Amino acid sequence: MSDALSSDSRFAVFTVSELDHALSQSRRVYLSGHLATPQEVMPYVDIEPNEMGISQYDSFTCDKPHVHDVNHEFNYIAEGETHVLDIDRMEEHVLPKGSVFILQPGVPYVSKHTAGTKVVFFKAPGGNDKRVIEVTDAVRTWMETPI
């Protein structure tokens, strides 16, 4: 198991080779946060209250529909393309490389990603407040439609 870096470290560096290696082992890597289950693929800064990490999607992937009750979620599309569906409004947002999307707490959504997509995420205040939700047939059809 990888050790957490000290939260009082003045400067934490994650090189591209370290990140690439970690992402070859796991599709999601945390760089900082107070993780309930420490990750094994690389060290991270054990700090509260926020979290930061990277998700990588090697093939077309659709995440589970969910809502965050407390967290604001900030996402930067570093590679590839992500589509996000605001479930309440049935509004799709197409986000190519270089785009940013910010989600308020309480917004039910689902996202899907093209092969090769990397998303840098930041959650404030952090912690796993994700609540998976049931969806309609229309949302399931959207989820199953490749991009």
Side-chain angles (χ1 to χ4, degrees), residues 24 36 39 68 73 79 95 99 108 113 119 122-124 130-131 133 139 141 146:
S24 74
Q39 66 187 0
H68 293 281
E73 188 173 352
E79 293 291 335
L95 305 159
S99 299
H113 318 273
V119 178
F122 180 81
K123 292 189 280 183
K130 182 187 290 186
R131 184 169 43 88
I133 58 172
V139 172
T141 298

Side-chain angles (χ1 to χ4, degrees), residues 68-84:
H68 293 281
D69 294 320
V70 177
N71 289 336
H72 285 80
E73 188 173 352
F74 305 81
N75 297 271
Y76 169 70
I77 313 305
E79 293 291 335
E81 183 173 291
T82 294
H83 292 208
V84 179

Side-chain angles (χ1 to χ4, degrees), residues 111-139:
S111 57
K112 57 188 180 180
H113 318 273
T114 60
T117 296
K118 284 185 184 177
V119 178
V120 178
F121 64 87
F122 180 81
K123 292 189 280 183
N128 189 3
D129 73 334
K130 182 187 290 186
R131 184 169 43 88
V132 176
I133 58 172
E134 293 295 320
V135 295
T136 64
D137 288 340
V139 172

Side-chain angles (χ1 to χ4, degrees), residues 40-52:
E40 297 182 14
V41 294
M42 69 181 281
Y44 60 95
V45 178
D46 186 1
I47 191 168
E48 290 186 281
N50 303 317
E51 290 179 359
M52 182 180 186

